[in-house]
């Protein structure tokens, strides 16, 4: 998955994008805190996944899936 030369909504021109970036790190790297008390790559990926799930629900016609979103899921 790579951006077109013209870019896109979530990708800059020529960049590999979020999925490509995730593919470039190991599970151990993604699960390791970069510094004590800091969030891991895996937790950020989970957050983005949940947000995209809410956006998809909204796109399918749910009035406001964010109103009762539980970000701790």
């Amino acid at each position: 998955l790579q951006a077109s030369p013209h870019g896109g909504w979530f990708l800059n021109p020529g960049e590999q994008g979020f999925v490509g970036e995730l593919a470039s790190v190991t599970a151990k790297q993604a699960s390791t805190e970069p510094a004590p008390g800091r969030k891991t790559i895996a937790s950020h990926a989970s957050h983005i996944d949940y947000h995209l799930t809410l956006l998809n629900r909204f796109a399918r016609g749910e009035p406001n899936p964010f109103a009762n979103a539980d970000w701790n899921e």
Side-chain angles (χ1 to χ4, degrees):
L1 179 65
Q2 186 168 355
S4 77
H6 307 290
W9 285 95
F10 296 105
L11 300 172
N12 293 323
E15 290 185 358
Q16 62 183 350
F18 178 67
V19 174
E21 289 295 331
L22 287 179
S24 72
V25 298
T26 66
K28 182 177 179 179
Q29 289 170 319
S31 300
T32 302
E33 290 181 344
R38 305 304 295 183
K39 300 292 184 187
T40 65
I41 293 170
S43 70
H44 284 289
S46 179
H47 181 88
I48 290 169
D49 177 60
Y50 185 59
H51 188 256
L52 290 173
T53 298
L54 294 172
L55 286 173
N56 283 328
R57 287 169 44 191
F58 180 74
R60 286 192 300 268
E62 189 173 330
N64 187 1
F66 295 93
N68 296 314
D70 181 359
W71 293 93
N72 294 312
E73 283 187 10

